[in-house]
Every structure is written in structure tokens, then in C-alpha cells.
Amino acid sequence: MVTESGIRETESAENVDGIGPEAPSRQHIAAPPLAPELPAANREGLPFLMLVAIVVLAGLSHLTGAPIFITVGLLSTGMAGLAVHMRARRTARRTVALLGETAARSRAEVESLADRVWEMQESEERFRGLIDALGDLVVHRDRDGHIVYANKVFAELVGADQRDLAGKALADLGIDVGIVPDAAFSDHECLSSTDVAIRTPSGPRWFSWIELSVRDKESGAVSHRAIARDITARKHAETSLITARERAEYASQAKSRFLATVSHEIRTPMNGIMGMAKLLADTGLSPQQRTYVGAISTSASALLALIEDLLDYSKIEAGRFDPEPQPMSVREIADNIVELLAARAFAKNIGLGCHVEPDVPQMISADPGRVRQVLLNLIGNAIKFTDSGGVLVSIARARTETTDRICFTVTDTGPGLHEDDLERIFEEFEQADGTSTRAHGGAGLGLAISRRLVIAMGGTISVSSQLGQGSEFVFEILAISATEPPQSRRDALSGRAVILSKNAIEADAIARTIRANGGKVDLATTAAQAASFAEGCDALLVDAAMEEGDGRLLKRLRQSGFADCEAITLIAPTDRGMLGDFRASGYATFLARPVRGETLLRVLLTSSVPALTQPQPEKRGAPTARAIGSRRRGLSVLIAEDNDINAMLARATLLKAGHRVKLVGNGKAAVEAITGTDHKYRFDVVLMDLHMPVMDGLDAIAAIRRHEEETAVSPVPIMVLSADSQETTRHAVLAHGASGFVTKPLDPDALVHAVEGHVAA
């Protein structure tokens, strides 16, 4: 249908805009004519008739005798009219041609505009179809939050007709998305993002809602255009991950609680086993009985080491390991550990030696317990896997312009490692030989724990090895707050010594110490070889394992040129009973294997041979536990312990040290013994177990401290006895008012030292 203006009507305005619910069909728009047209006869006849009429009038005027000027005037007028007509006709033709061209151009432009509108409509429809195919929600809202447009995906999601959504708010559909306030439009637009839950007929679904709010600069109109993508699968995955993490954390906590409980229950009977074995060893036993007692102590120590590894691994896994730096002596720790493990090495007939360079600091700030644990693991593993030769522990100082580090090196002559095993052995539950037929047992945790401990202390650990040629483990820690060693004994030795021993490892450690302090030394494995070094020898060190009971070896050596040098025998701790025989054979003194560097220097510096030594005043050491104990006799000690074996062990240890002891079986009895009016004397120190019936140790400590505050008496030292060695437990008891912490299994010497050390002088 064509209207009066010549424009074809469309079905609806919505279809023309291309935003209605249905796609419009393409229609051509015709351009209107610029002016109405007359018939062709009218356009050509009117000027002709006018010319004929003028000529006729001119003829009639001439025939009637009218003046000549009238006739001429009429003819002139006719000719002028004809000229005007012809000019007008030419102008009209040109105008019509121009108008035709303009009309043609206008029609082309209108058709081109219609084509562009159609293309834009098609492009918008394709874009919306693509968005709908992707499954994203598209929502356009006005300033007040009412929906102006929502795509078909959104309508299907909320279960509504697309045409019915206009004018509604999201809250009406159960969707919690607010309107950005006008104050947020700092730059006339604001981009916001949130995760939105939408209730659908199939259940709730999650969408990542991204909305761009725009305010027009001129009109101030605000619109909110949002696009939302379905993230339900991601939300479910996040929920599953959170649930899995919570379960893992709960399992880790349960594992830690289990290990703490089990370790406590195991330590309690082990305390009795190890303590009683040590007390039994101090009694008069036959050699066979002493061997059996030693086996008990060794087995208990091995079990205790396994428990410690499991606990340390659990704490490290849970992220609860924090180093506790304090002043420590590198030499003292290394010598103590070597002496502790010497029995294992001697039982396998292998050597164990330790050498500390003279420039190693006297004291550094580090965690002595963790350094000790790493050395125990490395040296213990080296001894376990070495069947011949021995293990050498070397400690040196590595200084650069920016760092100062202590380097611990443990070298063995064991079977060595494959190259593929060098990194694997530091993993949890891994061993060099992981087969079921392996010759050596173990849980495979020692090296894994050692690496984590070293890293936690800011150090490094590494291994180098060749198959069949042994291994070398090296770990370094920072030398923080280093105290330089004394200069009094550096280069103090000036003579020459000869070491006769078949144990190359120990002999090499002794030789290194002598050379590092200015002396000279030669090594020999047979008496004949030693004889070649006799000339100029000032001190002769002989391994007691090569000596006969009647001193024949020393006699032969004297005859082969060692007549004037001082003889020193190297004995194992188990051979101390033969010292009388060695002295009778001509040995001036002895050195216990493995030889401590400080002890070696002291013996050589106090030697009677001037050529070897330059006597130095001996530095007075700190008083030993026994010396301290001799000054503190007769202390009154209260022991609160419900386990009879542990109570008997602590009581026997303290009675042997000369103290008075009273036993109670629970925390309430301990409180009454201290706070009651019928007690005969005030206790100097209290040993309090944590887990006891009636009243536990923490409640008992709190009650005692409250009584002391109320009565204004000085607090009594309270030492907590516990098999739980975790740092959290230690800090908790100290926070409750305890004075100290003693870990079970109890070491008798350590117990006496702890009791006497916490009593004021």
C-alpha cells in the first residue's frame, strides 16, 4: 500500500527498528515526485493558441484602419511572447532534466540508506544470535534498574517471556544485583563485577556478572548494560577444593594428635627402660651382664630416634617448625655427637674421626637441637652404610666478602650412590636401596627431615658420591653472631709426632689437628713403617688395638729408635680397664677414641717433651654437672608422677645425687603438699608430670602460683616432666607458670643438672 506521500508502510515500527520480537522482512521505499505533471497536450497547445490570437488581433486592427503602431505593437508583443515561451520551454526542459537527475540521486541515496539500515539490523541480529549461542546473559537496565532489554537466554533462564521482562527489576526475579550509585561515576562510567546466584527451574546457577554503567555527559541519562557468564561448574569445583582442603587439614591435625599421643604413650615406658638400664649399668655387673644392659640401651635409643623422626616429620609437614636460635659451640656439639655414635662405629670395627679447623668460631647463634639432629642423621647414616674404612667429620669456616658460613662435611668409605639416587634420597620414605632385600633398614625419613631442617635454618645441604668410592654429605649454616676462637693455642705445636694405627680415618683426623696447630706428623700402619720415622720424633701415638697385653709393641718401637719420645696410647672407651697395664708397659698417658681435638691439644701441650710443645696456661672450663652437684647437696624435691616406674627412676636418680625426695601420685596431692599447713618443710624444687589423675599438671601449677600470690611467698621452681616434646607443649607449660621443661625419657645426669640448675644459689 502506498500513502499520499509515496512511502510504503511497514508492518510495525518495531520491525523497522529491528529490535522487535520478530525479524522484519526487507522492503523497498519509493521516493515521491517533486511536483505534479500536466498532460503533454496542455504543455504544448497553450503557447501556440496565444500566438495565433495575437496575430489575428493585429490583422483585424490593420483592416479596420487602426493606427499602425497598434498593429506593430501587437505583432511585437506576439513575437516577444513567443521568445519568452521558447526560453521558458528551454529552461523548463533543463529544470526537468535537473530534477530528474536529482530525483534519481535521491532515490539511490534512499535505497542505499535502506540497505545500510538493513545491514545494520542483520549485523545486530547476528551479534545477538552469537551471544545467545554462547549462552551468556545480556541485560540492559535504565537508571532506576528497570529492564529495558533482556536477551532470549536470560528470559529462558528465569522462565519468563522475553516481551514481559521490560519494566521489571532484577529483584522481582529473585536476582540480587543492585544499582551503582551516581557517586561512583567518576569518569562518566563505572565497570563492576560480582558473582551472582540465580534461581532457575532446574536449580540455582552461578554467573559472573559484569556490568558497565554509563552516564551521558550532556543529558545525564544513565544506563546499565550487563553481560553474565555461567560459572556454576567453577563454583562447584571451588567448593569441592575447599571441602578437600578442609578434610586434608583435619586429617593432618588428626595425624599430629595421633603421633603426639602415641609418642607420649611410647615414651612413658621407654623412660623406664632407658633410665633403669642406665641405673643398672652403674651397679656391679659381670661383663656379660654389662653387654646385655648395653643392648637394651642401644635398642631403646634406636626406637627413640625413630619416634623423634616421625614427630619432626609431622611438625614440618604441618608447618609448625620454627628454629630457635641461641648461642652454641660448634666444636662441643660435633665432639659430643661423634662420641655418642662411636660405639656403633667400634662395633662394626670401622673408624670415626672428627677434625675442626682452628678458625671455626668458638660460638655462633643457631638452633643447637636442630644442628645436632642433622649431624646425628648424617653421621648415623654414614656409619650404618659403611662396613670397612670409616667416617670422617670435618668442620670448616667459609668466609667471603658478604657471607660467613660454617661448613659441616661427613665423608664415608661406604658403597657410594648411583647418580640417579643423589636427589631421590632426600625425599620422604626413600632409600638408596628400596628393594625388599635391602641389607639396611630404616624409615627413609632421616635425610628428608635433615634437608628441611637445614633449609629452615637458612642453610644448604648436598651430596656427592661415586659408586664404590663412598659418599660426602655437606651442609652449611650461617655463622651468625660468631665469637672468634682464642689465639692462645694457634700454632702452639712445634715438634713432630708419629701415629701408628691401622685405622686410617681416625689417624688422619688426629694428623689434621696436629698440622693445623703448627705441628708435624707422620702416619704408619705397621711397626716397621713407623721405625722409618723414628728420627726426630717427639711424641708417639699408638693404637691400643695393635698393642699386646704385655707392651711388646712399645718395646720393639723403643728399640727401633723411639727411645726418647713420649708414648701415648689411643684406647677405646671399653678398654679403660686396661689403663693400668698400659702405664706399666711404658705409656705416659692415653687419649680416648675418637680423639677430641681439644683433648689432643691439651695432652700435647702438657707433654714433658719440650721439643713438641710450648706449655700454655690451661683455660679453666665451666664446672661440670658433677661439680655443680657437689655444691648443691641436700635439696628437698617434690615429685608428682603417677607412673610408678618413672617415679622410681626419678627418685633413685635424685637420691643417688644426695637429695631428699617426696613422691605424690597426682596434681591435687602436689598442691596440698605445697600449700598445706602440715608439711614439715618447704620444697626447693618440684618435678610435675603433665598427665595425672584427679588434677593434671597444668591445673596444679596454676593452683600453686595462685597460692604463692595470695600468701606473698617466693615462687618455688617447678620443672615439668613430659614425654610430649613439641614446642607448642613446651611454650604452653611455661606460659602456665612452669620454670623449666624436662623431656622424657629422662637422662639421669640431665635430670640432676636441671634440678640443681634451677635452684637459686
Side-chain angles (χ1 to χ4, degrees), residues 309-362:
D309 284 347
L310 291 175
L311 285 176
D312 287 332
Y313 178 73
S314 174
K315 287 186 287 186
I316 293 174
E317 282 293 304
R320 294 195 299 269
F321 168 73
D322 293 316
E324 297 181 354
Q326 55 185 284
M328 55 163 274
S329 171
V330 176
R331 289 179 174 83
E332 188 69 20
I333 287 181
D335 287 335
N336 288 342
I337 294 173
V338 169
E339 285 185 357
L340 178 65
L341 299 177
R344 299 187 195 178
F346 296 158
K348 299 183 67 172
N349 198 26
I350 61 175
L352 177 60
C354 178
H355 169 63
V356 183
E357 294 289 344
D359 63 340
V360 171
Q362 191 74 11

Side-chain angles (χ1 to χ4, degrees), residues 17 77 154 214 258 262 278 308 428 437 753:
D17 295 337
T77 302
F154 180 85
V214 180
F258 169 77
V262 170
K278 193 157 188 177
E308 294 289 351
E428 290 81 1
T437 58
H753 188 276

Side-chain angles (χ1 to χ4, degrees), residues 13-211:
E14 291 182 349
N15 287 342
V16 172
D17 295 337
I19 61 174
E22 297 181 358
S25 60
R26 183 172 182 178
Q27 302 182 22
H28 294 282
I29 302 174
L34 299 178
E37 296 182 359
L38 294 174
N42 293 337
R43 292 196 304 267
E44 300 293 336
L46 182 60
F48 178 76
L49 292 177
M50 291 177 63
L51 179 63
V52 171
I54 293 173
V55 172
V56 169
L57 289 175
L60 290 175
S61 63
H62 179 70
L63 292 177
T64 57
I68 190 63
F69 71 89
I70 295 175
T71 303
V72 173
L74 290 173
L75 290 175
S76 300
T77 302
M79 295 303 295
L82 180 61
V84 169
H85 169 71
M86 295 302 295
R87 180 179 298 176
R89 184 176 179 181
R90 289 195 300 271
T91 302
R93 287 180 178 177
R94 288 197 299 271
T95 302
V96 169
L98 180 61
L99 290 175
E101 293 177 358
T102 303
R105 287 198 301 270
S106 298
R107 290 190 185 96
E109 290 176 356
V110 170
E111 291 181 357
S112 175
L113 177 62
D115 289 340
R116 286 198 298 271
V117 171
W118 174 254
E119 290 176 358
M120 291 175 63
Q121 293 174 354
E122 284 188 332
S123 176
E124 184 176 358
E125 289 300 322
R126 285 196 299 269
F127 175 74
R128 291 180 176 177
L130 177 61
I131 293 295
D132 291 342
L134 292 176
D136 292 341
L137 311 182
V138 177
V139 179
H140 178 199
R141 296 186 293 167
D142 60 15
R143 183 190 191 102
D144 298 326
H146 297 127
I147 296 176
V148 177
Y149 167 79
N151 69 339
K152 184 166 56 177
V153 178
F154 180 85
E156 293 176 352
L157 180 72
V158 299
D161 189 276
Q162 187 175 3
R163 289 169 295 185
D164 297 337
L165 293 175
K168 291 186 176 181
L170 293 179
D172 300 335
L173 303 173
I175 302 175
D176 186 16
V177 178
I179 295 295
V180 177
D182 291 348
F185 294 89
S186 60
D187 193 22
H188 299 284
E189 65 178 27
C190 177
L191 184 65
S192 59
S193 175
T194 185
D195 292 345
V196 179
I198 301 178
R199 293 190 300 270
T200 69
S202 59
R205 302 189 66 82
W206 283 89
F207 288 84
S208 176
W209 190 282
I210 301 176
E211 190 168 64

Side-chain angles (χ1 to χ4, degrees), residues 464-488:
S464 59
S465 178
Q466 291 186 1
L467 197 62
Q469 299 183 18
S471 304
E472 182 178 272
F473 287 84
V474 179
F475 83 92
E476 297 182 355
I477 59 174
L478 293 174
I480 301 174
S481 303
T483 302
E484 297 302 323
Q487 302 288 331
S488 58

Side-chain angles (χ1 to χ4, degrees), residues 520-589:
K520 299 178 181 178
V521 64
D522 294 301
L523 303 179
T525 56
T526 63
Q529 185 180 7
S532 61
F533 303 126
E535 185 177 355
C537 176
D538 300 303
L540 176 63
L541 285 70
V542 181
D543 190 346
M546 300 178 63
E547 181 59 89
E548 302 290 341
D550 55 0
R552 296 180 188 177
L553 178 59
L554 182 58
K555 293 178 182 178
R556 291 200 303 270
L557 292 172
R558 296 290 191 192
Q559 295 172 359
S560 60
F562 292 98
D564 297 330
C565 65
E566 185 172 277
I568 303 172
T569 182
L570 308 176
I571 66 171
T574 55
D575 296 333
R576 289 179 182 269
M578 301 176 60
L579 283 177
D581 297 335
F582 288 130
R583 290 186 181 277
S585 300
Y587 288 97
T589 186

Side-chain angles (χ1 to χ4, degrees), residues 479-534:
I480 301 174
S481 303
T483 302
E484 297 302 323
Q487 302 288 331
S488 58
R489 293 186 181 177
R490 289 196 178 185
D491 299 328
L493 303 180
S494 59
R496 188 169 67 87
V498 175
I499 302 175
L500 175 58
S501 175
K502 293 182 179 180
N503 195 315
I505 295 294
E506 292 187 31
D508 181 56
I510 297 172
R512 290 189 182 190
T513 302
I514 294 175
R515 294 191 185 105
N517 288 274
K520 299 178 181 178
V521 64
D522 294 301
L523 303 179
T525 56
T526 63
Q529 185 180 7
S532 61
F533 303 126

